[in-house]
Amino acid sequence: TFKDAPLDVRTGANQHQYADDTQLYISISRPSVSTDLHTLESALSILSCWFSQNWLALNPEKSDAILLGTHQRNITRTCVSNVNVAGSTVALADNIKLLGVTLDKSLTFRKHINLVSQSCYYHIRALRHIRHTLDTHTASLIAHALISTRLDYANSILYGAPGYTVLKLQRVQNALARIVLNSNSLSHSDTLLQQLHWLPVHSRIRFKLASITYKALSTSSPQYLSSLLNLYTPSRTLRSSDLQLLDTVASKTIFGSRSFRSAAPTVWNSIPLRVRSELSMASFKTNLKTHYFRHPPV
């Protein structure tokens, strides 16, 4: 398998793999852009050779490259415009699609949210056409299967995203609630969501992030996430020693605070101890949802 190729040891590049989707990535600093880029291209060259030796092929035409960073950093890195992949030049893209998520180079997720909204509204219009033939329970099941799942898919990446982008998804959920409950546009959306027992989008994002954190702590998987979490251990015995808190990682930028290493401890530590101490994922999710209904996150 591809995992047998020691790319991270031989070149310094990191990898993630899901099914036949493989990502190579590396951190680039301003003083050593050329060196870092050469490191990545060396990893790609080794990967291409490994593929050839195992009767496989690395297709540059199906490869994408993107440089992620803040808007200001991307401006200063205009000297980087392409990456050499197996002898072919792949230009840096403004957006790429990764496991169903559209990433833009500044991680604003504007395009991703626009695409999700368009898809959801398409199914909402279809549901509206047949709503009069359905009872509320059936309409709710269909709404969850076709639309809510799209809103929830990979939504943890939206933690800390600009509020105006997440607001678009909230409008989608509000429209869906009105269709399910056969309500008019004058009905208050918060009341409708409570009636359906649906968490608003902002809470659902934190709910997903907290659930991923619980799994990483309780099962140590996936390892690339659990390795980023460390239990808070004070230098001397304090009352907080038994609260199952995580070490928080300070970030100098809003962009950095959105990373899992920084965001997961922040969300986890804000959850009551009685919820964090649950012994199963099912009970954790149940109590966490109740907590967010009673105390919506700010």
Side-chain angles (χ1 to χ4, degrees), residues 63-216:
S63 300
D64 294 310
I66 190 171
L67 181 60
L68 303 175
T70 63
H71 178 69
Q72 293 77 11
R73 285 290 180 88
N74 285 330
I75 292 176
T76 61
R77 294 170 179 165
T78 51
C79 58
V80 181
S81 59
N82 56 70
V83 177
N84 187 293
V85 180
S88 299
T89 300
V90 176
L92 294 182
D94 291 333
N95 302 277
I96 64 170
K97 195 164 188 178
L98 179 62
L99 300 178
V101 176
T102 302
L103 303 177
D104 59 275
K105 59 184 181 181
S106 296
L107 294 182
T108 62
F109 295 106
R110 279 195 291 263
K111 185 171 183 178
H112 172 70
I113 289 176
N114 287 339
L115 292 174
V116 171
S117 298
Q118 291 173 13
S119 176
C120 289
Y121 278 126
Y122 172 82
H123 290 285
I124 287 175
R125 288 191 293 270
L127 179 59
R128 181 187 291 116
H129 291 157
I130 63 171
R131 177 63 185 88
H132 65 282
T133 66
L134 306 172
D135 59 78
T136 301
H137 178 67
T138 303
S140 179
L141 291 178
I142 295 175
H144 176 73
L146 296 181
I147 298 126
S148 292
T149 50
R150 298 173 190 272
L151 293 176
D152 289 340
Y153 178 74
N155 63 347
S156 59
I157 63 175
L158 300 178
Y159 179 85
Y164 63 87
T165 57
V166 179
L167 184 59
K168 288 187 177 182
L169 297 183
Q170 188 58 61
R171 293 194 185 105
V172 172
Q173 190 187 41
N174 294 345
L176 180 60
R178 291 189 176 93
I179 296 300
V180 171
L181 294 176
N182 262 332
S183 177
N184 57 48
S185 58
L186 299 178
S187 302
H188 199 283
S189 58
D190 290 344
T191 303
L192 299 179
L193 295 180
Q194 290 176 3
Q195 188 174 342
L196 290 168
H197 205 60
W198 290 356
L199 287 172
V201 171
H202 178 62
S203 296
R204 294 167 91 97
I205 292 172
R206 296 176 70 96
F207 179 90
K208 177 67 73 62
L209 186 55
S211 299
I212 293 174
T213 305
Y214 179 90
K215 180 182 178 182

